[in-house]
Amino acid sequence: METLLEKIKPKYIKKIKSSDYTYSASKILAKLESSTWYGELTISEVSEIYDICGIEKLRVSAWDIRFGDNLLIKEDE
């Protein structure tokens, strides 16, 4: 079964892995590795991903926050 770490767009995984916030980044990577469904992430974890990746939360739709469409690889990609 595919983990979230495999479902997140590679550019975001790269940003998380190269983050200066090593503790937060390692926590997020561990959570992504142990989860298979975006809904398993808490709002706090999604917020940390946005912060680490430099995604402006004010410019993200509620749909993206709830379902992760902006973070996840689409089937046609």
Side-chain angles (χ1 to χ4, degrees):
M1 184 169 271
E2 223 177 10
T3 66
L4 273 179
L5 192 59
E6 298 166 310
K7 294 178 184 178
I8 300 284
K9 292 179 180 176
K11 67 179 182 179
Y12 295 129
I13 296 300
K14 185 176 178 181
K15 286 182 180 184
I16 294 169
K17 287 182 176 179
S18 66
S19 173
D20 291 336
Y21 305 104
T22 53
Y23 178 73
S24 293
S26 62
K27 260 184 18 177
I28 291 299
L29 289 170
K31 179 66 176 196
L32 293 174
E33 184 64 42
S34 67
S35 302
T36 57
W37 181 55
Y38 181 82
E40 293 176 59
L41 299 176
T42 65
I43 294 295
S44 177
E45 290 164 339
V46 171
S47 180
E48 282 185 58
I49 291 170
Y50 285 0
D51 289 342
I52 291 171
C53 293
I55 299 170
E56 292 184 47
K57 288 176 248 177
L58 293 175
R59 303 220 180 265
V60 177
S61 72
W63 183 270
D64 284 337
I65 292 172
R66 177 67 178 97
F67 297 105
D69 287 353
N70 61 332
L71 295 175
L72 300 174
I73 299 170
K74 295 181 176 98
E75 289 182 20
D76 58 349
E77 288 185 80

